Amino acid sequence: MAPTDSVLSEYLRQQKPKKEEEGEEPSWKDRPLHGMYHRQIEEVADIQKSYQWLDKAGLKDSTEALIMAAQEQALSTRSIEVGVYHTRQDPRCRLCKDAPETIQHITAGCKMLAGRGYMERHNQVAGIVYRNICAEYGLEVPRLKWETPPRVVENDRAKILWDFQIQTDKMVVANQPDIVVVDKQKKTAVVIDVAVPNDSNIRKKEHEKLEKYQGLREELERMWRVKVTVVPVVIGALGAVTPKLDEWLQQIPGTTSEISVQKSAVLGTAKILRRTLKLPGLW
Ligand SMILES: [Zn+2]
């Protein structure tokens, strides 16, 4: 009725914030705590892709909510209980007692979680890539999601190594990548290493992985007489990915989508958070 009623239209005019005021309204991204994640990944990640799992992964609402809460530091870690709620004195991690218990620490920095929680998450992500490679070459795909692949599988088209320590003549920095695929017809090999670090570290981690396997690449080219490519597959613990992830994935035989590895990483993190923070059933 506003267009014909002068009182109503005046009321609406006064209710509407003025344009310049709208601009001054601080966005959630500027908030010190809630906006921290977004600011951190803005510098290293493809922002649109880093949030695409919300649209496309088909996760349960509760899992989406949990990961979003983790991004905004809105979960009761000990560090938050000390600094924000003032309900606790000691901010140190309940598991390792070594570092302040922040979301970043729990999701990718705690040594007590390295052996089990992080390893499990890492192997789930690597397992997706592995299965797709097997399927591409007509090799038997491990049936169960939790099954650890055999160290070596082979047919006349390809040979795939899983977490296999490769003997080289010359000493190299690293000789046990997650996956190595040798394409016997094309005479190529791809060395793949997976990581799920803190989201702010994804770009650094990609570089690290590339560097780490250059020695092995040279040795393999010499010993096996194949062209070798090193491919890092890096997903942030809360889903962030670099603009290059898709390019990397395309260098791996078979078809592995960004969303499939992102989903797996985020699910792994949700499990770690639920277990460690002993979150109530709602989450
Ligand atoms: Zn810890």
Side-chain angles (χ1 to χ4, degrees):
M1 285 175 74
T4 52
D5 187 305
S6 60
V7 178
L8 272 178
S9 76
E10 175 60 15
Y11 173 79
L12 278 182
R13 195 183 65 77
Q14 289 188 20
Q15 285 299 301
K16 244 186 228 159
K18 291 199 189 80
K19 281 260 157 58
E20 49 279 25
E21 276 171 5
E22 249 173 11
E24 281 162 26
E25 189 75 24
S27 148
W28 64 272
K29 293 171 192 169
D30 299 319
R31 301 184 70 101
L33 204 55
H34 299 331
M36 197 193 289
Y37 176 79
H38 193 84
R39 283 194 305 277
Q40 278 175 348
I41 67 163
E42 241 170 357
E43 290 162 23
V44 293
D46 181 316
I47 290 294
Q48 189 261 319
K49 286 183 174 175
S50 294
Y51 292 111
Q52 70 184 347
W53 57 270
L54 274 169
D55 261 351
K56 298 179 185 161
L59 297 172
K60 284 192 299 190
D61 292 353
S62 56
T63 304
E64 288 180 0
L66 172 61
I67 298 297
M68 295 305 280
Q71 291 185 355
E72 292 172 25
Q73 317 261 345
L75 293 169
S76 259
T77 62
R78 295 201 167 172
S79 174
I80 291 288
E81 285 172 1
V82 171
V84 180
Y85 303 139
H86 310 291
T87 51
R88 185 182 286 277
Q89 307 254 300
D90 184 357
R92 285 177 303 164
C93 168
R94 69 193 74 189
L95 298 177
C96 68
K97 316 250 186 305
D98 248 10
E101 187 184 275
T102 58
I103 288 295
Q104 288 181 324
H105 177 79
I106 296 172
T107 56
C110 182
K111 64 178 183 206
M112 298 299 281
L113 287 166
R116 201 159 148 234
Y118 301 159
M119 177 76 83
E120 217 173 73
R121 179 178 63 188
H122 167 277
N123 285 354
Q124 287 300 308
V125 175
I128 291 174
V129 178
Y130 181 86
R131 280 150 198 279
N132 293 334
I133 300 170
C134 286
E136 173 73 12
Y137 289 108
L139 283 155
E140 200 187 332
V141 178
R143 264 175 306 156
L144 298 166
K145 203 176 146 206
W146 297 100
E147 210 174 310
T148 310
R151 297 264 176 197
V152 185
V153 293
E154 185 167 14
N155 62 12
D156 52 355
R157 294 174 59 202
K159 180 175 182 170
I160 311 177
L161 310 179
W162 168 270
D163 194 25
F164 189 91
Q165 191 171 15
I166 302 165
Q167 297 302 320
T168 52
D169 300 336
K170 231 169 63 186
M171 269 271 279
V172 293
V173 198
N175 67 351
Q176 195 168 354
D178 292 323
I179 304 168
V180 179
V181 198
V182 184
D183 186 309
K184 296 180 181 179
Q185 278 141 18
K186 290 188 194 148
K187 300 231 175 289
T188 57
V190 187
V191 170
I192 302 156
D193 214 44
V194 173
V196 186
N198 266 314
D199 296 61
S200 55
N201 272 342
I202 49 176
R203 196 166 284 201
K204 206 173 121 212
K205 201 52 150 188
E206 263 184 13
H207 285 288
E208 240 176 69
K209 295 274 175 204
L210 281 175
E211 287 289 306
K212 189 174 161 190
Y213 289 104
Q214 286 314 308
L216 182 66
R217 181 181 65 77
E218 283 166 24
E219 276 298 280
L220 292 185
E221 291 199 330
R222 205 180 48 78
M223 294 184 335
W224 296 353
R225 300 183 190 288
V226 290
K227 174 96 185 80
V228 180
T229 320
V230 179
V231 174
V233 175
V234 178
I235 325 285
L238 300 176
V241 297
T242 73
K244 290 201 75 176
L245 178 66
D246 198 41
E247 260 175 68
W248 296 124
L249 290 176
Q250 287 186 25
Q251 296 186 44
I252 300 172
T255 312
T256 299
S257 68
E258 284 182 309
I259 199 73
S260 66
V261 282
Q262 259 177 313
K263 177 179 178 177
S264 173
V266 165
L267 274 173
T269 300
K271 198 168 169 187
I272 290 165
L273 284 169
R274 287 190 179 109
R275 259 197 225 149
T276 309
L277 297 175
K278 303 203 168 40
L279 295 169
L282 179 67
W283 288 110

